[in-house]
Amino acid sequence: MNMTSVFQTDCPEVKVPVPLFLTMGLVSLGENFLVVLAVIRNRDLHSPMYCFICSLAAFNTIASLTKTWETLMIVLVDVGQLEKRGSSETKLDDVMDSLLCMSFVGPISSFLAIAVDRYITIFHALRYHNIMTMQRTRAVLGVIWTMCGVSAMLMVRFFDAKFTMICFVVFFVISLVIICFLYVYMFMLARIHALKIAALPTSGVGKCRWRCCSTRGALTLTILFGTFMVCWAPFFVHLIIIMVCPANPYCECYRSLFQLHMVLLMSHAMIDPGIYAFRSAELRQTFRKMLLCSNWKPCS
């Protein structure tokens, strides 16, 4: 997956120290695994929104694990313990590339599912539990993970074809437009609905609180999505440059920053759990119990 330059350019490739990659991979792996474990262990978090957040954290875990694994292989190659072009190493590299591609498509799909879930929560509050049942949530997650697995294998198998990268970028852009539209639409209508509910008698207070909590949840996920965009946009620009100007020396200067783009991707996996913990009281409480071994049988 390291698409470094093969053309002459005045811009040398920027190298990131291996220990930095290894440290970031291990930290993000631990953080996201903690989120997945928290959602699994706490029954109060077994709701559609947290299931989608758990899916997002699981994809981040795969990305962190894959990058840590790849970094360790690079270290072993450098010390002569692995052959760079051995058959087993090549197969292992294909597996890692598939997992990495899966972790590219997965977060986008998870954010799309989360945006739809928040839309239903805010504007169909009374019917939410009938629309977003756990059975349907599991079905959506099954579709997401199956689609990501199949697309990852196809991307690795046909990565040299420009059509593959075009499909990947188009999928990213379309998902981005849909997510942005849903969030803008949500916040605009939520404000209008809040003003209408405020004019109702006291009986509307419960609904108002529900909408306020739902809007806060949408705001949290907007922060998550904004972080995702900042960290992932340079990588997608990298892919577009490969397709549009593969031999241009100015484009090569941008492509020489590939390892910095990977650092941003790994930073995203590290930042997400911090946003969960800061914005969600339920997750904060669960993390506290897990880390302090409070009311958890395995720690007794």
Side-chain angles (χ1 to χ4, degrees), residues 101-290:
C101 289
M102 191 173 177
S103 66
F104 291 161
V105 180
I108 306 172
S109 304
S110 297
F111 275 119
L112 188 57
I114 289 170
V116 173
D117 175 76
R118 289 298 86 193
Y119 177 85
I120 297 172
T121 303
I122 294 175
F123 299 111
H124 300 280
L126 299 179
R127 298 176 53 226
Y128 175 77
H129 293 292
N130 293 327
I131 298 174
M132 288 300 298
T133 63
M134 288 305 295
Q135 183 177 0
R136 287 178 180 171
T137 301
R138 285 190 286 269
V140 171
L141 290 174
V143 170
I144 289 175
W145 281 83
T146 301
M147 180 195 71
C148 291
V150 172
S151 61
M153 290 187 289
L154 292 175
M155 286 173 66
V156 172
R157 176 65 180 83
F158 302 104
F159 188 78
D160 291 334
K162 186 176 290 187
F163 178 74
T164 303
M165 282 188 283
I166 292 175
C167 290
F168 188 33
V169 173
V170 168
F171 170 72
F172 174 78
V173 173
I174 291 176
S175 300
L176 174 64
V177 170
I178 294 174
I179 294 170
C180 288
F181 172 78
L182 284 176
Y183 279 135
V184 171
Y185 188 65
M186 271 191 283
F187 285 116
M188 288 177 61
L189 289 187
R191 180 173 177 79
I192 295 174
H193 286 196
L195 293 175
K196 290 181 179 178
I197 292 174
L200 294 177
T202 310
S203 58
V205 172
K207 292 181 182 179
C208 184
R209 287 177 180 172
W210 170 267
R211 289 192 184 277
C212 288
C213 292
S214 299
T215 304
R216 177 180 169 81
L219 179 60
T220 299
L221 297 169
T222 302
I223 295 172
L224 285 171
F225 182 66
T227 305
F228 171 81
M229 282 301 305
V230 171
C231 294
W232 282 69
F235 173 76
F236 281 95
V237 173
H238 185 99
L239 291 183
I240 294 172
I241 284 176
I242 290 176
M243 295 183 293
V244 176
C245 54
N248 187 292
Y250 295 102
C251 293
E252 288 303 306
C253 283
Y254 185 85
R255 290 176 62 183
S256 68
L257 304 175
F258 178 78
Q259 290 197 11
L260 291 181
H261 303 159
M262 295 305 297
V263 168
L264 277 176
L265 294 187
M266 296 180 70
S267 298
H268 171 254
M270 292 177 61
I271 294 170
D272 270 3
I275 298 175
Y276 304 147
F278 180 73
R279 299 286 301 179
S280 171
E282 294 89 348
L283 271 176
R284 282 201 306 272
Q285 197 171 38
T286 304
F287 289 152
R288 191 178 300 114
K289 287 181 179 180
M290 291 174 62

Side-chain angles (χ1 to χ4, degrees), residues 48-64:
M49 183 188 75
Y50 281 109
C51 286
F52 293 134
I53 287 179
C54 181
S55 175
L56 176 62
F59 281 118
N60 285 338
T61 301
I62 291 175
S64 303

